[in-house]
């Protein structure tokens, strides 16, 4: 079952079980997917749909950080709940050891030696970890690897 079919199936289940948060998050993601399909004038591939979910997850994480800094625990908890729902649709996340290995391979294959080569390394790493690791985490590991 692909991502879009899973979203549709889970939306029906959430409606039946009266899970408001899950239903709201799934509707938001489906809306974003539909907008992207309209923008591209074609149905999304599995990878493009995953990109939409990843973007929504990143936005929720950014919101969570802002809510916590502002001391809005009510909104922060709502964001945490929405993040938990979105994470169910993401592929299994890489471990730190797996990610470090990918970063080291990319540094070796690009011949990067300093932080000036960071763009080359990130360009090599990101397609390999798409949806399985947070970009900020990858960025930090690349910086550590280039020191």
């Amino acid at each position: 079952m692909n991502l879009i079919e899973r979203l549709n199936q889970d939306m029906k289940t959430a409606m039946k079980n009266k899970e408001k948060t899950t239903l709201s998050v799934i509707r938001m993601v489906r809306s974003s997917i539909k907008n992207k399909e309209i923008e591209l004038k074609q149905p999304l591939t599995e990878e493009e749909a995953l990109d939409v979910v990843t973007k929504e997850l990143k936005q929720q994480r950014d919101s969570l950080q802002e809510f916590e800094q502002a001391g809005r625990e009510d909104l922060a908890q709502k964001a945490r709940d929405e993040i938990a729902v979105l994470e169910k649709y993401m592929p299994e996340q890489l471990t730190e050891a797996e990610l470090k290995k990918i970063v080291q391979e990319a540094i070796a294959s690009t011949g990067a030696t300093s932080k000036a080569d960071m763009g080359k390394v990130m360009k090599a790493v990101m397609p390999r970890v798409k949806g399985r690791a947070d970009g900020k985490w990858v960025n930090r590991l690349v910086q550590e690897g280039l020191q």
Side-chain angles (χ1 to χ4, degrees):
M1 179 181 320
N2 73 24
L3 179 61
I4 295 172
E5 291 169 351
R6 256 182 73 205
L7 285 166
N8 289 334
Q9 188 64 40
D10 289 353
M11 186 174 83
K12 291 175 189 173
T13 304
M15 282 180 187
K16 288 177 186 173
N17 297 337
K18 296 182 176 25
E19 299 168 358
K20 288 183 179 181
T21 302
T22 303
L23 184 59
S24 135
V25 171
I26 292 172
R27 283 181 171 158
M28 173 185 65
V29 170
R30 288 186 66 225
S31 173
S32 295
I33 288 172
K34 194 57 137 171
N35 289 338
K36 191 70 170 176
E37 287 176 340
I38 291 168
E39 180 185 319
L40 297 175
K41 296 181 172 100
Q42 65 184 18
L44 296 185
T45 64
E46 185 74 12
E47 188 174 308
E48 290 168 332
L50 181 60
D51 288 344
V52 171
V53 175
T54 303
K55 180 180 173 194
E56 293 292 338
L57 184 58
K58 182 181 182 321
Q59 287 177 344
Q60 287 298 325
R61 285 183 175 146
D62 291 345
S63 296
L64 174 61
Q65 188 175 12
E66 290 177 24
F67 294 147
E68 287 174 342
Q69 288 174 352
R72 294 293 310 265
E73 188 53 40
D74 56 331
L75 294 175
Q77 186 56 49
K78 182 176 184 261
R80 281 188 209 97
D81 295 343
E82 291 176 357
I83 288 170
V85 173
L86 287 169
E87 285 176 339
K88 289 192 278 187
Y89 300 101
M90 298 298 293
E92 187 175 324
Q93 298 297 297
L94 293 170
T95 64
E96 188 164 357
E98 292 170 326
L99 188 55
K100 280 183 178 180
K101 183 177 181 230
I102 292 171
V103 167
Q104 291 305 321
E105 289 171 2
I107 289 171
S109 69
T110 59
T113 55
S114 69
K115 287 193 179 192
D117 300 322
M118 194 164 160
K120 283 192 255 180
V121 177
M122 290 296 288
K123 195 180 284 188
V125 172
M126 289 312 288
R128 293 180 62 191
V129 300
K130 188 174 212 135
R132 299 185 307 154
D134 183 49
K136 291 178 186 176
W137 190 30
V138 174
N139 187 311
R140 183 179 53 81
L141 290 176
V142 169
Q143 285 182 4
E144 290 173 7
L146 290 175
Q147 285 182 352

